[in-house]
Amino acid sequence: MPTDAELADFYGGMERARLIPLWKVYKDHVPRAPSPRAVPHLWRFKEVLPLVRASGVLAPLTEGERRVLGFANPGLPYDGLAATTDTLWGALQYILPGEKARAHRHAAAAIRFILEGEGASTTVEGERCAVGPGDFVLTPPWAWHDHENTGSAPVIWMDGLDIIMVRELRGSFFEGAGEAPPAEPKPEGGSAARWAEGALRPAWERPRGKYSPLLLYKWEKTGRALRRLAASGQVCPYDDVAMDFTHPGTGGPVYPTMSCRIQLLRAGQRPRAHRHTGSAVYLCFRGRGHSVIEGRRFGWERGDAFCVPSWAWHEHAAGEGEAILFSINDLPVMEALGLYREEGLKEGNQKVK
Amino acid sequence: MPTDAELADFYGGMERARLIPLWKVYKDHVPRAPSPRAVPHLWRFKEVLPLVRASGVLAPLTEGERRVLGFANPGLPYDGLAATTDTLWGALQYILPGEKARAHRHAAAAIRFILEGEGASTTVEGERCAVGPGDFVLTPPWAWHDHENTGSAPVIWMDGLDIIMVRELRGSFFEGAGEAPPAEPKPEGGSAARWAEGALRPAWERPRGKYSPLLLYKWEKTGRALRRLAASGQVCPYDDVAMDFTHPGTGGPVYPTMSCRIQLLRAGQRPRAHRHTGSAVYLCFRGRGHSVIEGRRFGWERGDAFCVPSWAWHEHAAGEGEAILFSINDLPVMEALGLYREEGLKEGNQKVK
Amino acid sequence: MPTDAELADFYGGMERARLIPLWKVYKDHVPRAPSPRAVPHLWRFKEVLPLVRASGVLAPLTEGERRVLGFANPGLPYDGLAATTDTLWGALQYILPGEKARAHRHAAAAIRFILEGEGASTTVEGERCAVGPGDFVLTPPWAWHDHENTGSAPVIWMDGLDIIMVRELRGSFFEGAGEAPPAEPKPEGGSAARWAEGALRPAWERPRGKYSPLLLYKWEKTGRALRRLAASGQVCPYDDVAMDFTHPGTGGPVYPTMSCRIQLLRAGQRPRAHRHTGSAVYLCFRGRGHSVIEGRRFGWERGDAFCVPSWAWHEHAAGEGEAILFSINDLPVMEALGLYREEGLKEGNQKVK
Amino acid sequence: MPTDAELADFYGGMERARLIPLWKVYKDHVPRAPSPRAVPHLWRFKEVLPLVRASGVLAPLTEGERRVLGFANPGLPYDGLAATTDTLWGALQYILPGEKARAHRHAAAAIRFILEGEGASTTVEGERCAVGPGDFVLTPPWAWHDHENTGSAPVIWMDGLDIIMVRELRGSFFEGAGEAPPAEPKPEGGSAARWAEGALRPAWERPRGKYSPLLLYKWEKTGRALRRLAASGQVCPYDDVAMDFTHPGTGGPVYPTMSCRIQLLRAGQRPRAHRHTGSAVYLCFRGRGHSVIEGRRFGWERGDAFCVPSWAWHEHAAGEGEAILFSINDLPVMEALGLYREEGLKEGNQKVK
């Protein structure tokens, strides 16, 4: 039997040599199941909205690159390492009439889903995309993009970014205004004219790259797709009438790092609970309902945001009428890296703690 | 120098041994450029239509599987080896009110593009697809399918099949009515509800198979896509406002053997000539115009069909108004097998012989 | 009931309009099962060899591009349309000491498998590949290649090409000596140095193209792989110890149109019969044995060649000692186009007619 | 101008609402370039070896799952979050004669590269792999594996795992001995018999999955591949004679999360410096030399390990004789997620600070 002194000497030597005994830390390094630091959490719009409005007064667009209020998960730091889940960033962006958030670009991928307000636009590599409620717009990695509100009322949208994952994987790059020649203007609606109708492609284009060539997914079409699918009765047992936005050139997710989903929860339905690796950030776009996440019940209504950490049991249901949820998730990463795993309840659902 | 007798003895021995001297037949076996047997040809609807109508009287549906009048290329045999191009089959199918063409299935892939008539439907593996003019419908390989006309007027559509290629590659299979259990009925419009809106997918489906999961592409959407693309000014130098129907789960062609295209030729435009490996069969759906194929001018109008053999120079132009062409081609095969090659004129166009 | 005159008039009109009634030719166009024109056949080396040798005297290399004796299937024409199967070309090539077959290139893909003779080489795009018995060498589509014998004895190898399929799909191109600048010389063995060890790749190369970057597969390695696999007892129920040559950058076949196989049939084993779409041409490299193809028994020994048409039942067995067969097939085409289908006998084997 | 009190109230409210103002933390969230926490570091074998040996005495295998001494980067915590780079874990594992590290499995992927000692084996899903110096062995995700030393001397190998990334992406799972039925025994050398010769595959297997089907890459072959490549003069400007181990069924990396490289640095060569996203952990297997990483010079010799963080400039050179480095990296992740970026010096090299 080694003496305590021998052991102390040995472990001290290990530390000095920057060697760590795996047998002491095995459970931390190889958890038996995913161990997210992020916790289930909900951000109520009625608490958030006053702060959003105050930011319009107190945080001029000139102060930083964007006027964005990030959803800071209580399980994660409240500082430069804040995040909504362990890999994703969800936030609300607020732009007043007449304001313009200047162009920049980054290696991280971003999406916007418009919650309210007319008259805003995002210009991506020279192509202006005018957006209104329910519209979904992409600003792909390393694409120059700015945002502008030429309407008469403030605009609020949800930002979704993979910045947490990209930073932690040590792949982040950023350039601000003036650091490179701006993109040449392109005709508005160009990508939508080529790609938005779906199941058709311009005969001369075969985009197989990692990012969707379609920049703007209008609500008119998204909503119609949900209605048609709902009417057909073809639904997901866990997510009811759920559709993922796709890269029309590959059928895959819009980005390799992040997929985006719109789902209609029908009134009176109770989809089943399941859990899987990968995390998500949700925004309630319409209606009201609730989710049970790891046994905690979160009621939500329009404008509320919430998150589901990796491997957390979750189920969603509409309230009296139907409800529509938009969400972002990191499932493409889980699948590409072979880390996707799923379990579903066959019947019944979670017990609320 | 060998004597003639020696040579005769040698070549006679070769033939008896079923050995062929490549040095005698090299040019036939390895042509310097594609040598299609099919020739450019046009089938005028005004000559075809009387025969189509006569077939309704003289060729009862009970006689064969289908009442189909195939476009028999003059460069190819007029018999069991007839074909429209060296690899493709184009035809008109005619169904009278009250008729039903019984179910069968085959390893070959088929498409239908409706030229005229309301009230017809194709049922594919139990899913009924009601079709009208401009609609495009798939009956994928080995899927049971029948056709029915419950309307009040005859229906005419173009059939496009890869049967020539499939037979020559020795991959053909066929089963007729009663040879296997019929497909279970599925809700009408089910595939369209999942896939037709495009750039969205049901969250629970990831079809990466070889055949499009979308069976019916309605004209309403196809026409709208053409209009949007035309309005955006984004066009192909050779084919003007041209779009290919896609497999929404992969972004690729609807079949691995055959791709399908809809193109709007704008009035007053003169797209450039090009040639490429692979052949095509065209149907004029609307308007009038002309094509120059290997220096021969073919004027066409609604209902006319024509073909472009492999490696033939071709150009298309609308007449006074705009025109719309539908076509099938074997380009996916050329690309998958590494046989695609293309040449385009930089300016000017073909001289008409 | 239509009169005979009416019918004659109708069908005559159809023919004049180059329309063919599908209901009359349906069975020819959509066969119930693959209907190859090629028949099972065997070419005996002891009958072939005297003709090969005679060709060295009577057919100077200057007469055609190559001194190649093609295996002309008795079910196919004996002329410019001769072929070994419906899609493939197999042949023996013969080069005398001091001879050189000049450079050319074609869109068709070719392989060589050396039967006998030392001292030959094939130069592919400037890279010389010295070959001996059992070596397998690629001359990919549109790559300049010549052949030379600097040894002291004649060399005989099997040529395998997809020229039949490429011609029929109308994708053939050819250029002879002097039509383009020759390829620049590259170091001998360069592709093998990068790729031959397998399961390792040069860190700076990621070849995902359609053709294998490895040009020469030496017998030393091929034979060793067969031995190891045989010793491990892991075998195919139909083909015994069978391995396919692969494209090391993708793991797929060496060409998109043609795959190549080496198989060791162990003494005393009787692999089961199966049939599948796609055809093959075999060469016995070592030993002796027999195959039963569609119920006909073909005994073979070193140098003999035989073919298996599409969908033909076939089984192979070694004689008293072990035997080694090399073969080419068109299975990658069947698979890429969705035409592959297979049936295997669970027990027992074919009855010989 | 808002007063300080107004601002304090606003920012306090933000924090209470778990909203974080992006404009205050933008630079932390979206760094201008990758900002690894890991720093370049070298672990000297002569300092490490005594601790490795001491662990044989002081850390019985029964204490934890494995006797593994992890390389704990000085820029990262020294605790349960210790790691070698921001995404990777490198370590030395030590097994004494007669010892056996019991079976377990995890969602993380692991590799072993044997530094010294004969007589050890790793059994993966029932297939025993006997290993010696220079051998490279895979224990793929969720495969049961144990390690045993039946030789007469201790064995030391390098472990490489993606556990850091897998844990941070919240995809970790682990099961220990007895938690599930053990794998059925399979013949030793089975995967190598099917796959090790390379550029050949068993005719009946088409593994397109995410993990290499080859478990054991013997040094005999790896070393021969390096020699051949070196002799051919085909080298990488940055990494000299460098080869990546591949998944023989796809040509891609052995895992989707981690690629592995063996490189021979020739004497007298000075490869150029470059930097790229992604990190690596190196082990010197033979010889001696040095690396310059972000301007710091690290001399190394046999058994030394060092790391290169993401986006760090690095260059490697052998000393007087040649040297061989083994390394693991996360480049497949960078590439799959679209995060790969690279810069190389055209001439000259880094200045040592």
Side-chain angles (χ1 to χ4, degrees):
Chain A
M1 279 284 292
T3 66
D4 285 358
E6 281 171 328
L7 287 172
D9 191 49
F10 171 62
Y11 285 109
M14 290 277 281
E15 183 162 3
R16 282 189 299 279
R18 296 302 297 181
L19 293 170
I20 192 152
L22 182 61
W23 56 92
K24 296 293 191 193
V25 293
Y26 204 90
K27 290 177 184 170
D28 293 328
H29 276 76
V30 191
R32 291 185 61 80
S35 54
R37 292 188 299 156
V39 296
H41 191 74
L42 182 141
W43 292 261
R44 292 198 185 287
F45 194 49
K46 66 184 171 196
E47 293 169 15
V48 168
L49 185 57
L51 291 158
V52 167
R53 286 186 178 143
S55 75
V57 178
L58 301 172
L61 257 184
T62 48
E63 184 169 347
E65 289 284 320
R66 298 288 188 266
R67 188 188 293 115
V68 163
L69 293 77
F71 299 123
N73 193 288
L76 293 164
Y78 186 81
D79 58 21
L81 293 174
T84 314
T85 75
D86 288 73
T87 60
L88 296 171
W89 169 267
L92 292 183
Q93 183 159 172
Y94 188 58
I95 310 189
L96 299 173
E99 284 190 332
K100 180 171 184 174
R102 65 186 185 178
H104 64 202
R105 63 177 176 176
H106 35 68
I111 61 87
R112 328 285 165 187
F113 183 83
I114 315 306
L115 178 61
E116 63 181 49
E118 299 282 352
S121 64
T122 287
T123 297
V124 183
E125 285 290 318
E127 180 174 330
R128 186 175 178 272
C129 301
V131 294
D135 290 351
F136 169 66
V137 62
L138 303 184
T139 57
W142 216 235
W144 285 102
H145 57 282
D146 60 38
H147 308 298
E148 189 169 14
N149 184 347
T150 56
S152 55
V155 168
I156 302 177
W157 68 56
M158 175 173 155
D159 275 355
L161 288 102
D162 60 5
I163 44 174
I164 309 307
M165 180 195 320
V166 170
R167 182 189 61 198
E168 296 305 307
L169 291 172
R170 309 304 160 188
S172 178
F173 290 92
F174 174 83
E175 281 183 351
E179 292 192 65
E184 273 185 52
K186 292 177 195 159
E188 182 165 344
S191 77
R194 295 197 308 283
W195 293 105
E197 285 298 336
L200 283 161
R201 70 170 174 83
W204 63 91
E205 289 209 6
R206 279 158 221 228
R208 312 293 297 174
K210 292 180 188 297
Y211 320 129
S212 170
L214 174 59
L215 299 175
L216 178 56
Y217 299 67
K218 296 296 287 181
W219 173 251
E220 177 192 359
K221 195 164 86 87
T222 305
R224 192 169 58 217
L226 287 178
R227 297 268 154 247
R228 283 178 85 163
L229 192 59
S232 82
Q234 300 172 104
V235 301
C236 173
Y238 305 116
D239 285 307
D240 212 24
V241 186
M243 302 194 93
D244 285 359
F245 295 93
T246 63
H247 177 322
T250 65
V254 294
Y255 294 132
T257 49
M258 191 164 59
S259 191
C260 300
R261 180 170 293 180
I262 192 81
Q263 73 194 93
L264 185 155
L265 298 166
R266 293 170 299 168
Q269 300 293 325
R270 187 142 186 233
R272 295 209 304 267
H274 69 153
R275 65 176 175 177
H276 49 74
T277 50
S279 61
V281 184
Y282 290 80
L283 179 76
C284 175
F285 178 53
R286 287 191 182 168
R288 64 181 63 209
H290 75 275
S291 299
V292 183
I293 308 171
E294 282 292 305
R296 287 181 58 197
R297 190 182 197 281
F298 295 90
W300 38 253
E301 61 184 8
R302 181 183 162 281
D304 289 353
F306 61 96
C307 67
V308 177
S310 185
W311 204 236
W313 286 103
H314 58 284
E315 59 185 80
H316 312 296
E320 293 186 12
E322 71 183 25
I324 296 177
L325 296 176
F326 169 80
S327 58
I328 61 172
N329 62 65
D330 59 5
L331 298 186
V333 176
M334 295 293 125
E335 287 162 3
L337 304 188
L339 300 174
Y340 188 73
R341 190 185 285 206
E342 184 181 10
E343 284 182 3
L345 291 183
K346 293 263 170 62
E347 53 180 292
N349 252 332
Q350 300 174 74
K351 288 224 175 90
V352 178
K353 287 170 188 168
Chain B
M1 277 287 291
T3 65
D4 285 357
E6 282 170 327
L7 288 171
D9 192 48
F10 171 63
Y11 285 109
M14 290 277 281
E15 184 161 4
R16 282 188 299 278
R18 294 302 296 181
L19 293 170
I20 193 152
L22 181 61
W23 56 92
K24 296 293 191 193
V25 293
Y26 204 91
K27 289 176 184 170
D28 292 328
H29 276 75
V30 191
R32 293 184 60 80
S35 53
R37 292 187 300 155
V39 295
H41 190 74
L42 182 141
W43 291 261
R44 289 197 187 287
F45 194 51
K46 65 183 170 196
E47 292 169 14
V48 168
L49 185 57
L51 291 158
V52 166
R53 288 188 176 140
S55 74
V57 179
L58 301 172
L61 257 185
T62 50
E63 183 168 349
E65 288 285 320
R66 297 288 187 265
R67 189 188 292 115
V68 163
L69 293 78
F71 299 121
N73 193 288
L76 293 164
Y78 185 82
D79 58 22
L81 294 173
T84 314
T85 75
D86 289 73
T87 59
L88 296 170
W89 168 268
L92 292 184
Q93 182 159 172
Y94 189 58
I95 310 189
L96 298 173
E99 284 189 332
K100 180 171 184 175
R102 66 184 184 178
H104 64 202
R105 63 177 177 176
H106 35 67
I111 61 87
R112 330 286 166 186
F113 184 83
I114 315 306
L115 180 60
E116 64 182 48
E118 299 282 351
S121 63
T122 287
T123 297
V124 183
E125 286 289 321
E127 179 175 330
R128 186 174 178 272
C129 301
V131 294
D135 290 351
F136 169 66
V137 62
L138 302 185
T139 58
W142 216 235
W144 285 102
H145 57 282
D146 61 36
H147 308 297
E148 189 168 15
N149 184 349
T150 56
S152 56
V155 167
I156 303 178
W157 67 55
M158 175 173 156
D159 274 355
L161 289 101
D162 60 6
I163 44 175
I164 308 307
M165 180 195 320
V166 170
R167 182 188 61 198
E168 296 304 308
L169 290 173
R170 307 305 160 187
S172 180
F173 291 91
F174 174 84
E175 281 184 350
E179 293 193 66
E184 273 184 52
K186 293 177 193 156
E188 182 164 345
S191 77
R194 295 197 308 283
W195 293 106
E197 285 298 336
L200 283 161
R201 69 171 175 82
W204 62 92
E205 291 208 6
R206 279 157 223 230
R208 312 293 297 172
K210 293 180 187 297
Y211 319 130
S212 170
L214 174 59
L215 299 175
L216 178 56
Y217 299 66
K218 297 294 289 180
W219 173 250
E220 177 193 359
K221 193 163 86 86
T222 305
R224 191 170 58 217
L226 286 179
R227 296 270 155 245
R228 280 178 87 163
L229 192 59
S232 83
Q234 300 173 105
V235 301
C236 173
Y238 305 116
D239 285 307
D240 212 24
V241 186
M243 301 193 94
D244 285 359
F245 295 94
T246 63
H247 178 321
T250 65
V254 293
Y255 293 132
T257 50
M258 191 164 57
S259 191
C260 301
R261 180 170 293 180
I262 191 80
Q263 72 194 95
L264 185 156
L265 298 166
R266 293 169 300 167
Q269 300 294 325
R270 186 141 187 234
R272 296 208 304 265
H274 70 153
R275 65 174 174 178
H276 49 75
T277 50
S279 62
V281 184
Y282 290 80
L283 178 77
C284 175
F285 177 54
R286 288 191 181 166
R288 62 182 62 210
H290 76 274
S291 298
V292 183
I293 308 170
E294 283 291 306
R296 287 181 59 197
R297 188 182 197 281
F298 295 89
W300 39 254
E301 61 185 8
R302 181 183 163 282
D304 290 354
F306 61 95
C307 68
V308 177
S310 184
W311 203 237
W313 285 103
H314 57 285
E315 60 186 80
H316 313 296
E320 291 186 13
E322 71 183 24
I324 295 177
L325 296 175
F326 169 81
S327 57
I328 62 172
N329 62 66
D330 59 4
L331 298 187
V333 176
M334 295 293 127
E335 286 162 3
L337 304 188
L339 300 174
Y340 187 73
R341 191 184 286 204
E342 183 180 13
E343 284 182 3
L345 291 183
K346 294 264 172 59
E347 53 181 291
N349 252 332
Q350 298 175 76
K351 289 225 174 91
V352 178
K353 285 168 189 169
Chain C
M1 279 287 290
T3 65
D4 286 358
E6 281 170 329
L7 288 172
D9 192 48
F10 171 63
Y11 285 110
M14 290 276 281
E15 184 163 3
R16 283 188 299 278
R18 295 302 297 179
L19 293 170
I20 193 151
L22 181 61
W23 57 91
K24 295 293 190 193
V25 294
Y26 204 91
K27 290 175 184 171
D28 292 329
H29 276 76
V30 190
R32 291 185 61 80
S35 53
R37 293 187 298 155
V39 297
H41 190 75
L42 182 141
W43 291 262
R44 289 196 188 289
F45 194 50
K46 65 184 171 196
E47 292 169 16
V48 167
L49 185 58
L51 291 159
V52 166
R53 288 188 178 139
S55 76
V57 179
L58 301 172
L61 256 186
T62 50
E63 183 169 348
E65 289 285 320
R66 297 288 187 266
R67 188 188 293 114
V68 163
L69 293 78
F71 299 123
N73 193 288
L76 293 164
Y78 186 81
D79 58 21
L81 294 173
T84 314
T85 75
D86 289 73
T87 59
L88 296 171
W89 169 267
L92 292 184
Q93 184 159 171
Y94 189 57
I95 310 188
L96 300 173
E99 283 189 331
K100 180 171 184 175
R102 66 185 184 178
H104 65 201
R105 64 176 176 177
H106 35 67
I111 62 87
R112 331 284 165 188
F113 184 83
I114 315 306
L115 180 60
E116 63 182 48
E118 300 281 353
S121 64
T122 287
T123 298
V124 183
E125 286 289 320
E127 179 174 330
R128 186 175 179 273
C129 301
V131 294
D135 289 350
F136 169 66
V137 63
L138 303 184
T139 57
W142 216 234
W144 285 102
H145 57 282
D146 60 39
H147 308 297
E148 189 168 14
N149 185 349
T150 55
S152 54
V155 168
I156 302 178
W157 67 56
M158 174 173 156
D159 275 353
L161 289 101
D162 60 6
I163 45 175
I164 309 308
M165 180 195 320
V166 169
R167 182 189 62 198
E168 296 304 307
L169 291 173
R170 309 303 161 188
S172 179
F173 291 91
F174 174 83
E175 282 183 351
E179 292 192 67
E184 273 184 53
K186 292 177 193 158
E188 182 164 344
S191 77
R194 295 197 307 283
W195 293 105
E197 285 298 336
L200 283 161
R201 70 170 175 81
W204 62 92
E205 289 208 7
R206 280 159 221 227
R208 311 292 298 172
K210 293 180 188 297
Y211 319 130
S212 170
L214 174 58
L215 299 175
L216 178 57
Y217 299 65
K218 296 295 288 179
W219 174 251
E220 178 193 358
K221 194 164 85 87
T222 305
R224 191 169 59 217
L226 287 178
R227 296 270 155 244
R228 282 178 85 163
L229 192 59
S232 83
Q234 301 173 103
V235 302
C236 173
Y238 305 116
D239 286 307
D240 212 23
V241 186
M243 301 195 94
D244 286 358
F245 295 95
T246 64
H247 177 321
T250 65
V254 294
Y255 293 132
T257 49
M258 192 163 58
S259 191
C260 300
R261 180 170 294 181
I262 191 82
Q263 72 193 95
L264 185 155
L265 298 165
R266 294 169 299 167
Q269 300 293 324
R270 187 144 185 233
R272 295 209 304 266
H274 69 153
R275 66 175 174 177
H276 49 73
T277 50
S279 62
V281 184
Y282 291 79
L283 179 77
C284 175
F285 177 54
R286 288 191 180 167
R288 63 182 64 210
H290 75 275
S291 300
V292 183
I293 308 171
E294 282 290 307
R296 288 181 57 198
R297 189 182 198 281
F298 296 89
W300 37 254
E301 61 185 6
R302 181 183 162 283
D304 289 353
F306 61 96
C307 67
V308 176
S310 184
W311 204 234
W313 286 102
H314 58 285
E315 60 186 80
H316 313 296
E320 292 186 13
E322 71 182 24
I324 295 177
L325 296 175
F326 169 80
S327 58
I328 62 171
N329 63 65
D330 59 4
L331 297 186
V333 176
M334 295 293 126
E335 286 162 2
L337 304 187
L339 300 173
Y340 187 74
R341 192 185 286 205
E342 183 180 11
E343 284 182 2
L345 291 183
K346 294 263 170 61
E347 53 181 292
N349 253 331
Q350 299 174 74
K351 289 225 174 91
V352 178
K353 286 169 188 170
Chain D
M1 279 287 291
T3 65
D4 285 359
E6 282 171 328
L7 288 172
D9 191 49
F10 170 64
Y11 285 110
M14 290 276 283
E15 184 162 4
R16 282 187 300 277
R18 294 302 299 180
L19 293 170
I20 192 152
L22 182 61
W23 56 93
K24 296 293 191 192
V25 292
Y26 204 91
K27 290 175 184 170
D28 292 328
H29 276 75
V30 191
R32 293 186 59 81
S35 53
R37 293 188 299 155
V39 296
H41 191 75
L42 182 141
W43 292 261
R44 289 197 188 288
F45 195 51
K46 66 183 169 197
E47 292 169 14
V48 167
L49 185 57
L51 291 158
V52 165
R53 288 186 177 142
S55 75
V57 178
L58 301 172
L61 256 184
T62 49
E63 182 169 350
E65 289 285 319
R66 297 289 187 265
R67 189 188 294 114
V68 163
L69 293 77
F71 300 123
N73 193 287
L76 293 164
Y78 185 80
D79 58 22
L81 294 172
T84 314
T85 74
D86 289 73
T87 59
L88 297 171
W89 169 267
L92 292 183
Q93 184 159 171
Y94 188 59
I95 310 189
L96 299 173
E99 284 189 330
K100 180 171 185 175
R102 65 184 184 179
H104 64 202
R105 63 177 176 176
H106 35 67
I111 62 88
R112 329 286 164 187
F113 184 83
I114 315 307
L115 179 60
E116 64 182 47
E118 300 282 352
S121 63
T122 287
T123 298
V124 183
E125 286 290 321
E127 179 174 330
R128 184 174 179 274
C129 301
V131 295
D135 290 351
F136 170 66
V137 62
L138 302 184
T139 57
W142 216 233
W144 285 102
H145 57 282
D146 61 36
H147 309 297
E148 189 168 14
N149 185 348
T150 56
S152 54
V155 167
I156 303 177
W157 67 56
M158 175 174 155
D159 275 355
L161 289 102
D162 59 7
I163 44 174
I164 309 308
M165 181 195 319
V166 170
R167 182 188 61 197
E168 296 304 308
L169 291 172
R170 309 304 161 186
S172 179
F173 290 92
F174 173 84
E175 282 184 350
E179 292 194 64
E184 274 183 53
K186 293 177 193 158
E188 182 164 344
S191 76
R194 296 197 307 283
W195 293 105
E197 284 298 337
L200 283 161
R201 69 170 176 83
W204 62 91
E205 290 209 7
R206 280 158 221 228
R208 311 293 297 172
K210 293 181 188 296
Y211 319 130
S212 170
L214 175 58
L215 299 176
L216 179 57
Y217 299 66
K218 296 295 287 180
W219 173 251
E220 178 192 359
K221 195 164 84 87
T222 305
R224 191 170 59 217
L226 287 179
R227 297 268 156 246
R228 281 178 86 163
L229 192 59
S232 82
Q234 301 173 105
V235 301
C236 172
Y238 306 115
D239 285 306
D240 213 24
V241 186
M243 302 194 94
D244 285 359
F245 295 94
T246 64
H247 177 321
T250 65
V254 293
Y255 293 133
T257 49
M258 192 163 59
S259 190
C260 300
R261 179 170 293 179
I262 191 81
Q263 72 194 93
L264 185 156
L265 299 166
R266 295 170 297 169
Q269 301 293 325
R270 187 144 186 233
R272 294 209 304 266
H274 70 152
R275 65 174 175 178
H276 49 73
T277 50
S279 62
V281 184
Y282 290 80
L283 178 77
C284 176
F285 177 54
R286 286 191 182 168
R288 61 182 64 208
H290 75 275
S291 298
V292 183
I293 307 170
E294 284 290 306
R296 288 181 59 198
R297 190 181 196 284
F298 296 89
W300 38 253
E301 60 186 8
R302 181 183 162 283
D304 289 353
F306 61 95
C307 68
V308 176
S310 184
W311 204 235
W313 285 102
H314 57 284
E315 60 186 79
H316 312 296
E320 290 185 14
E322 71 183 23
I324 295 177
L325 296 176
F326 169 79
S327 57
I328 61 171
N329 62 65
D330 59 5
L331 298 187
V333 177
M334 296 293 126
E335 286 161 5
L337 304 187
L339 300 174
Y340 187 73
R341 191 183 286 203
E342 183 180 13
E343 284 182 4
L345 291 183
K346 295 263 170 61
E347 54 179 290
N349 252 333
Q350 298 174 75
K351 287 222 176 91
V352 178
K353 287 169 187 168

